[in-house]
Amino acid sequence: MNIQLQKDLLRLVIEKDLQITTDAIRLISEQKNPKKALENSIRKLEANEFLLTTTHFTKTQSISERKIGSPFKTEVSIIQNFTKTPYVDDLQTISDFFRARYNHFKKVLSPRTNNTMSLAHAEKAKGEKCSLIGIVSDKRVTKNSVILELEDPTGVLKTITTSPEANKQAESIVLDEVIALEGSMGDDIFFTNNIIQPDLPTGRHMKKLSDSSYVAFLSDIHIGSKKFLRKEFKNLLEWFNSDVESDMQREITDNINYIFIAGDLVDGIGVYPNQKDGLYETDITKQYTEAAKLLSKIPENIEIIICPGNHDYTHLAQPQTPLTKDIAPELNELNNITMVSNPSLVNIHTSDGGGLNTLLYHGTSIDTIIASDKTFKEGYKHPEIVMLALLKKRHLSPIYSSDLVTSGQDSMVIPSDIDIFHTGHVHSNGAMNYRGVTMLNSGTWQGKTDFQELCGHEPTPGNLPVINMKSREMQLINFYKNESTRI
Ligand SMILES: [Fe+2]
Ligand SMILES: [Fe+2]
């Protein structure tokens, strides 16, 4: 028995104005890393609890013990992360930004088109069958066709669809995306019979890992809002600690290795007019302190990856840089939290055949896409419709607006090597598989706000999507009704 160690542990407990039983201090002193185990257990005490017992300690440590022996390491590798914002609002920078976008997608589209001409060249090739690649600078829908104006470094050209198929393809095209058109040149106008989007390569298969462990997805928790669903969220935290009765759910909770949080962790302050009236905590640093207190109850062996959203304390322009220590010190101190930018690309479980790549994006552009065309009118109810459109455009925020950081690169391009595409923002769950990618929106942990009531939005709060990395099946666990659905 190490008396000195037990004295040191006791001192730690007394410093925190807490008490501990003799059995608990003996049990903790026998752990591999006693000080860390004690700190972890203290963090998980409720505000009204002051006595640390063996029961409390065992409950908070049990999952770690169960998971020892897995052949795979819990690993998080950041592949793409934007930690600086080189925002320069001048014409040259905006021009460089669009040139970078055009050049990137030209490389993607060129191998899939025939007799591709620059717009200036095509204008002089009357009657010739050819292909064009350009940025959409205008879109008009007439009774029988869609008129798209294309732009490339050589000029601008008007195009018109000439078939029902091309009309259908043009429905989901939005301003500023890069597309290829196939057809023929007429008098000052190009006749389009086929539209090609960058899209993901065909024939992609869903990657399945060997390890049957799970990833969980959260977003839009909105801590600080009077509508924050504290009770349901606390149930969720207990669930992560394997406090469940059903064997099926215990199989999941015992094997969760990763949690992604896609922004709007807190409600923030000053995000929209009169927001203050809807807050129970108006100090954003205190909102983050509470977030740290809550997330610290998640077992330490589960890695948590967090990107910011438009309610978080970082600049609004995308890409948004990760939440820093200055604003969220307690969160940044938690050993199992990785802060990343919005968007970011993160690889998990690397030692298991290279792991899975998750594209994490809060999803603010979903609003602009829904507003752009009636094709997306169901987007708030079914965000996966918009996510599919973004995936086909291979761009997270194609419509240009001042909330995009313009620089020599286009940071919002969607890479081809992704397995999971995770968004939030619209507060509605949605999921779909497409060409080996699982797209999902993780809903919210905030009740319906007055603003959502006004807009007619129907949020789906209290649902947790989880994916099994071996089968790649998804389940939605409902913490309102205490039930799960396989989707
Ligand atoms: Fe939100
Ligand atoms: Fe949001």
Side-chain angles (χ1 to χ4, degrees):
M1 186 186 296
N2 187 336
I3 301 292
Q4 186 54 47
L5 173 63
Q6 292 194 11
K7 278 185 182 172
D8 290 345
L9 295 174
L10 188 59
R11 195 177 307 118
L12 259 174
V13 173
I14 292 167
E15 278 170 10
K16 304 262 182 198
D17 282 336
L18 298 169
Q19 294 176 23
I20 187 166
T21 63
T22 320
D23 286 346
I25 211 154
R26 191 181 308 120
L27 180 64
I28 293 172
S29 70
E30 288 163 2
Q31 301 302 308
K32 200 172 163 190
N33 186 342
K35 198 171 159 229
K36 202 170 167 187
L38 175 63
E39 285 169 347
N40 188 35
S41 208
I42 287 175
R43 268 207 304 274
K44 284 164 186 160
L45 280 172
E46 292 293 333
N48 58 355
E49 287 180 314
F50 60 91
L51 180 65
L52 226 160
T53 62
T54 49
T55 313
H56 173 82
F57 178 74
T58 313
K59 200 170 150 191
T60 54
Q61 301 295 311
S62 58
I63 291 183
S64 314
E65 293 303 313
R66 270 199 297 276
K67 282 190 175 169
I68 288 171
S70 164
F72 302 105
K73 279 197 285 181
T74 303
E75 279 173 282
V76 175
S77 316
I78 303 171
I79 300 173
Q80 197 176 48
N81 193 26
F82 300 97
T83 53
K84 289 193 189 117
T85 48
Y87 185 80
V88 190
D89 188 16
D90 60 48
L91 280 176
Q92 186 55 48
T93 315
I94 295 171
S95 162
D96 290 348
F97 170 78
F98 277 110
R99 194 175 288 268
R101 178 182 293 195
Y102 170 78
N103 286 336
H104 172 84
F105 286 115
K106 189 180 174 200
K107 275 193 208 134
V108 175
L109 290 163
S110 288
R112 290 155 52 192
T113 55
N114 294 313
N115 195 22
T116 311
M117 294 183 184
S118 69
L119 299 186
H121 189 179
E123 208 170 7
K124 295 174 197 142
K126 191 181 166 191
E128 194 166 340
K129 281 190 176 173
C130 61
S131 303
L132 313 175
I133 296 172
I135 296 178
V136 179
S137 55
D138 192 31
K139 176 182 175 181
R140 270 176 291 152
V141 181
T142 67
K143 199 178 170 195
N144 299 315
S145 58
V146 180
I147 299 167
L148 296 173
E149 190 178 77
L150 277 200
E151 200 173 329
D152 79 356
T154 69
V156 180
L157 192 61
K158 197 178 271 187
T159 73
I160 186 165
T161 52
T162 54
S163 67
E165 294 77 27
N167 286 348
K168 184 85 193 137
Q169 291 170 323
E171 279 178 2
S172 63
I173 301 298
V174 300
L175 295 188
D176 305 323
E177 71 170 294
V178 182
I179 52 172
L181 302 180
E182 288 180 327
S184 56
M185 192 64 212
D187 284 326
D188 302 326
I189 195 160
F190 183 84
F191 299 114
T192 306
N193 56 39
N194 189 31
I195 300 176
I196 303 169
Q197 289 186 288
D199 215 330
L200 285 171
T202 52
R204 273 180 108 253
H205 295 294
M206 189 167 269
K207 187 175 182 187
K208 296 179 178 178
L209 304 190
S210 314
D211 191 15
S212 184
S213 61
Y214 289 82
V215 196
F217 300 88
L218 296 168
S219 60
D220 302 275
I221 304 169
H222 290 272
I223 293 160
S225 160
K226 286 177 184 168
K227 301 277 182 177
F228 167 47
L229 299 172
R230 184 182 303 280
K231 188 176 122 245
E232 286 74 14
F233 197 72
K234 284 198 166 177
N235 288 344
L236 172 73
L237 295 173
E238 281 171 17
W239 185 86
F240 279 130
N241 281 283
S242 288
D243 195 0
V244 289
E245 281 171 15
S246 123
D247 284 348
M248 194 187 84
Q249 290 205 11
R250 182 172 288 275
E251 200 273 320
I252 300 174
T253 58
D254 282 0
N255 292 292
I256 287 184
N257 283 334
Y258 307 93
I259 299 171
F260 280 96
I261 303 182
D264 286 0
L265 177 61
V266 299
D267 206 52
I269 177 83
V271 182
Y272 54 85
N274 303 322
Q275 185 197 7
K276 210 170 178 180
D277 300 341
L279 297 175
Y280 67 81
E281 175 55 73
T282 54
D283 181 337
I284 195 164
T285 56
K286 288 184 182 160
Q287 293 177 3
Y288 282 117
T289 301
E290 189 186 352
K293 179 90 182 152
L294 289 167
L295 295 186
S296 71
K297 293 183 193 304
I298 293 173
E300 229 184 20
N301 60 327
I302 300 180
E303 290 289 338
I304 307 169
I305 303 112
I306 304 175
C307 82
N310 58 312
H311 280 254
D312 285 296
Y313 193 86
T314 175
H315 53 84
L316 274 180
Q318 303 171 94
Q320 292 179 294
T321 46
L323 292 169
T324 60
K325 273 185 188 158
D326 306 343
I327 192 67
E330 297 95 341
L331 267 177
N332 274 280
E333 271 167 25
L334 293 179
N335 290 333
N336 56 338
I337 284 189
T338 304
M339 294 292 190
V340 292
S341 61
N342 171 41
S344 51
L345 185 64
V346 179
N347 178 275
I348 51 171
H349 231 50
T350 322
S351 61
D352 188 355
L356 298 177
N357 287 345
T358 297
L359 177 64
L360 190 59
Y361 175 52
H362 178 58
T364 37
S365 73
I366 297 175
D367 290 333
T368 54
I369 298 286
I370 291 174
S372 73
D373 195 282
K374 63 178 183 345
T375 316
F376 303 111
K377 67 178 189 297
E378 293 295 313
Y380 284 113
K381 206 172 173 187
H382 295 287
E384 69 276 16
I385 297 171
V386 182
M387 293 178 77
L388 177 63
L390 294 175
L391 213 48
K392 289 186 175 184
K393 298 174 197 307
R394 293 277 297 280
H395 204 283
L396 291 169
S397 191
I399 303 172
Y400 177 75
S401 68
S402 56
D403 68 359
L404 275 182
V405 171
T406 53
S407 69
Q409 64 167 332
D410 184 347
S411 314
M412 307 301 280
V413 164
I414 297 179
S416 61
D417 54 348
I418 62 171
D419 301 296
I420 297 168
F421 177 20
H422 174 203
T423 62
H425 187 60
V426 292
H427 293 207
S428 293
N429 292 96
M432 190 194 286
N433 290 327
Y434 177 71
R435 294 189 178 174
V437 175
T438 307
M439 297 178 282
L440 69 108
N441 192 294
S442 48
T444 183
W445 294 83
Q446 183 187 35
K448 195 187 205 177
T449 62
D450 294 344
F451 181 69
Q452 288 163 338
E453 181 82 54
L454 202 71
C455 300
H457 296 172
E458 278 302 331
T460 56
N463 286 314
L464 178 78
V466 290
I467 292 179
N468 181 295
M469 297 201 279
K470 186 175 183 182
S471 68
R472 291 288 298 273
E473 279 184 3
M474 185 191 291
Q475 287 188 54
L476 206 56
I477 320 278
N478 186 308
F479 284 81
Y480 257 2
K481 299 178 196 161
N482 200 17
E483 64 183 25
S484 68
T485 325
R486 210 171 281 268
I487 51 176

